[in-house]
Amino acid sequence: MEDRYSLELKPIGVIHSPFKNTGKAPYQGYKSEEISQIEVFKEFEEGLKDIEGFSHIIVIYWFHKSQGYHLLVKTPWDDSLHGLFTTRSPRRPCPLGLTVAELVVREKNILKVKGLDAIDGTPLLDIKPCIPSTDERLGVKLGWFEGRLGREKS
Amino acid sequence: MEDRYSLELKPIGVIHSPFKNTGKAPYQGYKSEEISQIEVFKEFEEGLKDIEGFSHIIVIYWFHKSQGYHLLVKTPWDDSLHGLFTTRSPRRPCPLGLTVAELVVREKNILKVKGLDAIDGTPLLDIKPCIPSTDERLGVKLGWFEGRLGREKS
């Protein structure tokens, strides 16, 4: 089937992070004050023109330490099995990570950001501007997450 | 360099959309009332367990009609050249699309959604739950987009 061809991606950069392995990354990285450095490879630097004006960016990356997946998963929030696509587990058929990060400062091809939970060495795939009118919704219902956020087990 | 290896993805589904080609897809699909059908391939259906409880999902897909890219691009919003990574252009080094869509109804492995601007036949890569406390931010600054949204040229 045409739709099931493999698709090929080449990273546009790499994330340098204080989180050195998966056990160290926070479940909800957006709460973290730690600074990560997104290195955009030099050949893509021109694509960052004017990014300084944006306070938040959407960072898409490859969960490079993730291996395999299960379609039903346990999470830190309860003991039930949940459908993988209702979770943010890094173990997914397409291991794509997504975080909205705060852009603290740009230094040439380096973006220093807060709130990024990717681990050190994570391949960077894309950066998009965060646009609330496009990316945010009112009245969002959270399914099984309802009432559980912030109450994860350690 | 290790970080520049190619990474391989296999789609988990396909998007059936009323937008038959790129010229027909809206610039800001979230405003659209059109219904798209996300077909998750049968072997991944179990991963949708309990997704009905979620009102909005993050859909990640492959811009399969996108060819090549420029690091500086013109947009429908003004005549200036902007850094590619400050735009949502589909022509990107990693042609990954991202939309927050409203989940209208699930029918087995089919998700009927509103607000998805992907064109018909788009390969589906991932579905994640939309969690405002994780994905949304206050006081977002929009850089060159400021004051221009909703004023795109036709």
Side-chain angles (χ1 to χ4, degrees), chain B residues 8-9 37 39 42 54 72 81 96 114 121 140 143:
Chain B
E8 193 185 283
L9 291 173
Q37 300 201 19
E39 175 190 347
K42 275 286 181 186
F54 292 79
L72 296 176
L81 285 171
L96 300 172
K114 259 190 213 176
V140 171

Side-chain angles (χ1 to χ4, degrees), chain A residues 1-14 28 30 39-58 60 62-63 69 71-72 81-89 92-102 115 121-146 149, chain B residues 1-14 28 30 39-58 60 62-63 69 71-72 81-89 92-102 115 121-146 149:
Chain A
M1 267 177 69
E2 188 191 14
D3 295 317
R4 305 175 97 148
Y5 281 178
S6 289
L7 306 168
E8 194 185 281
L9 291 173
K10 285 181 195 291
I12 63 163
V14 60
Q28 295 185 287
Y30 70 95
E39 175 190 347
V40 175
F41 296 140
K42 275 285 181 188
E43 67 260 40
F44 300 108
E45 181 178 340
E46 194 174 34
L48 296 175
K49 180 176 182 286
D50 297 334
I51 203 163
E52 302 86 354
F54 292 79
S55 61
H56 293 77
I57 55 177
I58 299 173
I60 302 180
W62 187 270
F63 287 123
Y69 62 87
L71 291 172
L72 295 176
L81 285 171
H82 297 291
L84 174 61
F85 302 116
T86 72
T87 79
R88 301 291 276 255
S89 167
R92 320 179 73 80
C94 294
L96 299 172
L98 166 71
T99 304
V100 178
E102 180 186 344
T122 294
L124 173 70
L125 300 178
D126 201 8
I127 293 171
K128 299 180 192 291
C130 172
I131 305 173
S133 63
T134 299
D135 300 316
E136 300 185 358
R137 298 292 181 276
L138 295 172
V140 170
K141 290 184 195 161
L142 288 177
W144 67 265
F145 268 118
E146 205 76 59
L149 290 174
Chain B
M1 269 177 68
E2 187 191 15
D3 297 316
R4 306 174 96 146
Y5 281 176
S6 289
L7 305 168
E8 193 185 283
L9 291 173
K10 286 179 193 291
I12 63 163
V14 60
Q28 297 185 284
Y30 69 94
E39 175 190 347
V40 174
F41 295 140
K42 275 286 181 186
E43 65 262 41
F44 300 109
E45 181 177 340
E46 194 173 33
L48 297 175
K49 179 173 181 288
D50 296 334
I51 203 163
E52 302 87 351
F54 292 79
S55 60
H56 292 78
I57 55 177
I58 299 173
I60 302 180
W62 187 269
F63 285 124
Y69 63 88
L71 291 173
L72 296 176
L81 285 171
H82 296 291
L84 175 60
F85 302 118
T86 72
T87 78
R88 301 290 278 252
S89 167
R92 319 178 75 80
C94 294
L96 300 172
L98 166 70
T99 303
V100 178
E102 180 186 344
T122 294
L124 173 70
L125 300 179
D126 201 8
I127 294 171
K128 297 181 194 290
C130 173
I131 305 173
S133 62
T134 299
D135 300 316
E136 300 185 358
R137 297 293 180 276
L138 295 173
V140 171
K141 290 184 194 158
L142 287 176
W144 67 265
F145 267 117
E146 206 74 59
L149 290 174

Side-chain angles (χ1 to χ4, degrees), chain A residues 60-124:
Chain A
I60 302 180
Y61 47 93
W62 187 270
F63 287 123
H64 66 307
K65 295 293 188 189
S66 159
Q67 293 190 321
Y69 62 87
H70 297 281
L71 291 172
L72 295 176
V73 297
K74 279 203 183 179
T75 71
W77 287 278
D78 66 15
D79 292 322
S80 303
L81 285 171
H82 297 291
L84 174 61
F85 302 116
T86 72
T87 79
R88 301 291 276 255
S89 167
R91 300 179 62 194
R92 320 179 73 80
C94 294
L96 299 172
L98 166 71
T99 304
V100 178
E102 180 186 344
L103 179 56
V104 176
V105 67
R106 170 188 174 187
E107 293 168 0
K108 295 183 179 172
N109 66 319
I110 305 290
L111 304 178
K112 293 187 179 177
V113 300
K114 259 189 214 176
L116 182 56
D117 51 1
I119 63 171
D120 195 45
T122 294
L124 173 70

